[in-house]
Amino acid sequence: MADNIFAKIVRKEIPAKIVYEDERVLAFCDINAKAPVHILVVPKKDIARISEAGAADEPLLGHLLTVAAGIARQEGIDATGYRLVINKGAHAGESVARLHVHLLGGRQMNWPPG
Ligand code: AMP
């Protein structure tokens, strides 16, 4: 069983500001927000990163994205827009080994990302 910080949040062993939960995912505010809205959507299934997801996980991966879009509507940033990000590995700056989708919005985003 994974013992990283997000595994502990999913198991409710440590607190987080939860904004959405269902049987497959948990979404909570990033502790070091990089935008006015910065929410992490995490599968309850223990998948370390996107490269370790398999074909059987495709419905779950789709659910992560549609949940993120729903939270964006809930947070009032659908009209202005938002960015969904998955960091994988060192070059992307992955820092927690539990798959998560970042939902970022509430300000103008730059492109390309840094
Ligand atoms: P990544 O760099 O893609 O692995 O993203 C990890 C994210 O988790 C970072 O944006 C951190 O600010 C965030 N984070 C780390 N610890 C916590 C925590 N206890 N609660 C909420 N977010 C966290």
Side-chain angles (χ1 to χ4, degrees), residues 9-40:
I9 289 173
V10 165
R11 295 199 298 266
K12 310 274 176 72
E13 292 170 7
I14 63 169
K17 192 174 168 202
I18 294 170
V19 298
Y20 176 85
E21 179 172 16
D22 65 24
E23 69 284 356
R24 288 186 283 171
V25 306
L26 186 71
F28 52 89
C29 295
D30 195 294
I31 205 166
N32 184 16
K34 302 295 192 297
V37 176
H38 188 174
I39 289 164
L40 305 169

Side-chain angles (χ1 to χ4, degrees), residues 11-108:
R11 295 199 298 266
K12 310 274 176 72
E13 292 170 7
I14 63 169
K17 192 174 168 202
I18 294 170
V19 298
Y20 176 85
E21 179 172 16
D22 65 24
E23 69 284 356
R24 288 186 283 171
V25 306
L26 186 71
F28 52 89
C29 295
D30 195 294
I31 205 166
N32 184 16
K34 302 295 192 297
V37 176
H38 188 174
I39 289 164
L40 305 169
V41 190
V42 179
K44 291 187 174 177
K45 180 178 177 182
D46 180 16
I47 300 171
R49 58 191 57 80
I50 189 63
S51 54
E52 290 170 35
D57 296 313
E58 286 173 7
L60 175 59
L61 298 178
H63 188 59
L64 284 174
L65 297 180
T66 56
V67 163
I71 295 169
R73 282 191 290 276
Q74 181 182 299
E75 295 289 324
I77 58 170
D78 182 70
T80 47
Y82 53 87
R83 184 168 291 169
L84 303 179
V85 174
I86 297 175
N87 291 319
K88 189 280 190 216
H91 275 188
E94 176 196 313
S95 62
V96 179
R98 174 62 166 256
L99 178 62
H100 50 281
V101 176
H102 294 255
L103 165 63
L104 295 143
R107 67 167 171 82
Q108 181 65 50

